Short mmCIF file of all heavy atoms in Angstrom, two decimals:
data_model
loop_
_atom_site.label_atom_id
_atom_site.label_comp_id
_atom_site.label_asym_id
_atom_site.label_seq_id
_atom_site.Cartn_x
_atom_site.Cartn_y
_atom_site.Cartn_z
N CYS A 6 6.62 -0.77 24.50
CA CYS A 6 6.24 -1.36 23.18
C CYS A 6 4.92 -0.76 22.78
O CYS A 6 3.89 -0.82 23.63
CB CYS A 6 6.12 -2.86 23.16
SG CYS A 6 5.38 -3.60 21.73
N ARG A 7 4.68 -0.30 21.56
CA ARG A 7 3.32 0.28 21.14
C ARG A 7 2.26 -0.67 21.18
O ARG A 7 1.09 -0.30 21.33
CB ARG A 7 3.54 1.05 19.84
CG ARG A 7 4.47 2.12 19.72
CD ARG A 7 4.04 3.38 20.45
NE ARG A 7 4.61 4.60 20.06
CZ ARG A 7 5.89 4.85 20.55
NH1 ARG A 7 6.57 4.06 21.22
NH2 ARG A 7 6.45 6.03 20.03
N LEU A 8 2.65 -1.96 21.02
CA LEU A 8 1.48 -2.97 20.83
C LEU A 8 1.19 -3.70 22.30
O LEU A 8 0.11 -3.33 22.69
CB LEU A 8 1.91 -4.08 19.83
CG LEU A 8 0.87 -5.02 19.51
CD1 LEU A 8 -0.34 -4.21 18.82
CD2 LEU A 8 1.37 -6.20 18.67
N CYS A 9 2.17 -4.24 22.90
CA CYS A 9 1.91 -4.88 24.03
C CYS A 9 2.13 -4.17 25.35
O CYS A 9 1.79 -4.64 26.49
CB CYS A 9 2.72 -6.27 24.09
SG CYS A 9 4.40 -5.94 24.46
N ASN A 10 2.66 -2.93 25.28
CA ASN A 10 2.93 -2.10 26.25
C ASN A 10 4.01 -2.52 27.29
O ASN A 10 4.20 -1.94 28.38
CB ASN A 10 1.66 -1.86 27.05
CG ASN A 10 1.35 -0.38 27.38
OD1 ASN A 10 1.83 0.47 26.61
ND2 ASN A 10 0.65 -0.10 28.46
N ALA A 11 4.80 -3.57 26.94
CA ALA A 11 5.89 -4.04 27.88
C ALA A 11 7.05 -3.09 27.66
O ALA A 11 7.33 -2.54 26.59
CB ALA A 11 6.32 -5.43 27.48
N TRP A 56 9.21 0.96 17.54
CA TRP A 56 7.90 0.85 18.18
C TRP A 56 7.70 -0.48 18.89
O TRP A 56 6.87 -0.53 19.86
CB TRP A 56 6.77 0.90 17.01
CG TRP A 56 6.36 2.28 16.63
CD1 TRP A 56 6.76 3.46 17.15
CD2 TRP A 56 5.42 2.54 15.59
NE1 TRP A 56 6.03 4.44 16.42
CE2 TRP A 56 5.34 3.89 15.56
CE3 TRP A 56 4.71 1.77 14.68
CZ2 TRP A 56 4.52 4.55 14.57
CZ3 TRP A 56 3.95 2.28 13.67
CH2 TRP A 56 3.76 3.72 13.66
N LEU A 57 8.28 -1.49 18.42
CA LEU A 57 7.94 -2.79 18.87
C LEU A 57 8.99 -3.52 19.58
O LEU A 57 10.18 -3.47 19.32
CB LEU A 57 7.53 -3.69 17.64
CG LEU A 57 6.36 -3.15 16.84
CD1 LEU A 57 6.16 -4.05 15.59
CD2 LEU A 57 5.08 -3.14 17.56
N CYS A 58 8.52 -4.37 20.65
CA CYS A 58 9.51 -5.30 21.27
C CYS A 58 9.79 -6.46 20.39
O CYS A 58 9.19 -6.79 19.37
CB CYS A 58 8.96 -5.59 22.61
SG CYS A 58 7.55 -6.92 22.42
N VAL A 59 10.75 -7.31 20.79
CA VAL A 59 11.26 -8.45 19.97
C VAL A 59 10.02 -9.40 19.72
O VAL A 59 9.78 -9.87 18.66
CB VAL A 59 12.32 -9.21 20.59
CG1 VAL A 59 12.72 -10.43 19.72
CG2 VAL A 59 13.52 -8.24 20.78
N ASP A 60 9.14 -9.57 20.77
CA ASP A 60 8.11 -10.59 20.67
C ASP A 60 7.02 -9.96 19.65
O ASP A 60 6.52 -10.81 18.77
CB ASP A 60 7.42 -10.72 21.93
CG ASP A 60 8.25 -11.59 22.93
OD1 ASP A 60 9.36 -12.14 22.43
OD2 ASP A 60 7.97 -11.71 24.12
N CYS A 61 6.68 -8.74 19.72
CA CYS A 61 5.59 -8.29 18.78
C CYS A 61 6.15 -8.13 17.40
O CYS A 61 5.38 -8.35 16.39
CB CYS A 61 5.10 -6.87 19.28
SG CYS A 61 4.22 -6.99 20.83
N GLU A 62 7.40 -7.74 17.25
CA GLU A 62 8.07 -7.82 15.87
C GLU A 62 7.95 -9.17 15.40
O GLU A 62 7.69 -9.39 14.13
CB GLU A 62 9.52 -7.39 16.11
CG GLU A 62 10.31 -7.44 14.88
CD GLU A 62 10.26 -6.17 14.02
OE1 GLU A 62 9.68 -5.22 14.45
OE2 GLU A 62 10.81 -6.25 12.91
N LEU A 138 -3.28 -8.75 19.78
CA LEU A 138 -2.76 -9.34 21.05
C LEU A 138 -3.53 -10.67 21.47
O LEU A 138 -3.20 -11.23 22.66
CB LEU A 138 -2.75 -8.31 22.11
CG LEU A 138 -1.72 -7.21 21.84
CD1 LEU A 138 -1.98 -6.09 22.93
CD2 LEU A 138 -0.32 -7.79 22.05
ZN1 ZN B 1 5.46 -5.79 22.36
#
Side-chain angles (χ1 to χ4, degrees):
C6 170
R7 296 290 197 286
L8 188 65
C9 72
N10 227 28
W56 276 355
L57 299 174
C58 71
V59 177
D60 288 351
C61 290
E62 174 86 8
L138 289 169

